[in-house]
Amino acid sequence: QVQLVESGGGLVQPGGSLRLSCTASRNIFSPNAMGWYRQVPGKQRELVAIMASGGSTNYADSVKGRFTISRDNAQNTVYLQMNSLKPEDTAVYYCNLRVIISGQDYWGQGTQVTVSS
């Protein structure tokens, strides 16, 4: 019922920046959260950052102070500004939409972020 389309991944040198975007095919008119998870092959998927429709945010400790999540609710879009990137940030980043009432999760297709010199 909801499709998420991601963009903005790529290759960047350590210390560089990237901005990820994720747009939902329609708005969700109930409490929800949009954000980002990342996964490296052979490792557990981990939360990177998420923002609820009411504005509250959660960040992984490893990205606090470097990454910033924001939402444009009118455009059904969530962004992740990633600064001071490190090689350990290399992963596939997945956009996530969670509808709180139902617990339903929707996922984007994933976008590769590679941090390497």
Side-chain angles (χ1 to χ4, degrees):
Q1 192 172 21
V2 180
Q3 290 77 50
L4 303 177
V5 179
E6 305 177 27
S7 64
L11 174 64
V12 65
Q13 293 187 353
S17 297
L18 285 173
R19 181 174 178 260
L20 305 183
S21 299
C22 173
T23 298
S25 59
R26 67 177 181 88
N27 198 11
I28 304 297
F29 295 101
S30 63
N32 64 84
M34 293 187 72
W36 301 90
Y37 291 74
R38 66 188 181 188
Q39 189 167 29
V40 176
K43 299 180 69 175
Q44 297 283 343
R45 182 187 65 190
E46 65 174 354
L47 173 71
V48 178
I50 194 161
M51 177 176 279
S53 49
S56 62
T57 59
N58 284 331
Y59 291 92
D61 288 342
S62 60
V63 308
K64 287 179 180 176
R66 299 188 298 120
F67 292 9
T68 303
I69 190 168
S70 60
R71 288 180 66 159
D72 183 344
N73 291 326
Q75 297 294 321
N76 306 322
T77 299
V78 63
Y79 304 94
L80 186 67
Q81 179 66 48
M82 304 185 293
N83 298 326
S84 302
L85 282 161
K86 304 175 180 179
E88 51 262 45
D89 296 317
T90 296
V92 177
Y93 285 69
Y94 294 94
C95 180
N96 171 262
L97 167 64
R98 179 170 297 151
V99 181
I100 303 303
I101 292 174
S102 65
Q104 178 69 55
D105 278 317
Y106 300 91
W107 295 94
Q109 80 278 13
T111 185
Q112 177 71 45
V113 172
T114 301
V115 185
S116 176
S117 59

